[in-house]
Amino acid sequence: MGLLGDTYQALELGHFNWPIRNSHPVHPTTVHFPLTFLSTAYSLDTLYGLTSHFRNARLFTPLVQYIPQISQIAFLAHVAGTVTAIPSMTSGISEFAELYKRNGINHQDKKLTNPGKSGDEIIDKAVNVVWSRIGKEFWRPTGRQVWISALMVPAVGVSAALGGELVYGKGLGVQRMGNAKDEKLAGYEEMKAMAKKGQ
């Protein structure tokens, strides 16, 4: 296949035989990092906004002294989420293309993935946040960014749930490569042999 093709197959799709014969795609492994970082970032931005606005409320008074740190950690989580989203998005697009090419995805699932539309929106917002906060004191979010972050917390959850539905609800991409595929095919052959014995 050539060096470039082999590299693509290994890094984006997870097709490699050393040190083991891999049985799962790369995307499910890489997607957890941006989900975690961006969930943290959006949650901390929301907490920053609530703490700044309700300084005198008993619930938020102890946090007022940590407002700069909340903002800084949220910014760093946005940066980490944006950086880790790159391999997640490229491997997700490659996986979708591979499934689409082999007719491993039906029309309803195509609409559900769209491909990666929900992830694109989330990353777009994260890049915007990072870019607009550079140079600001404590990398503080604007009031508008706090509101967007409050809306993005459930959006990240929905995006993760859609991916989970495709894998766990529909079995998309499950046992389609490596040792897992060999085991699945052996199971089919075993079932056929049992069915012949039963006739």
Side-chain angles (χ1 to χ4, degrees), residues 35 38-39 42-43 46 118 122 147-162:
L35 284 173
L38 293 174
S39 296
Y42 294 131
S43 297
T46 304
S118 59
I122 292 166
W147 280 105
I148 289 172
S149 289
L151 296 172
M152 295 307 287
V153 171
V156 172
V158 168
S159 180
L162 288 175

Side-chain angles (χ1 to χ4, degrees), residues 19 21 36 45 58 89 102 113 116 129 138 190 194 197:
R21 188 158 179 245
T36 302
D45 276 351
R58 185 184 305 172
M89 290 178 73
R102 298 176 193 265
T113 57
V129 165
F138 302 121
E190 189 177 318
M194 288 173 62
K197 281 184 183 177

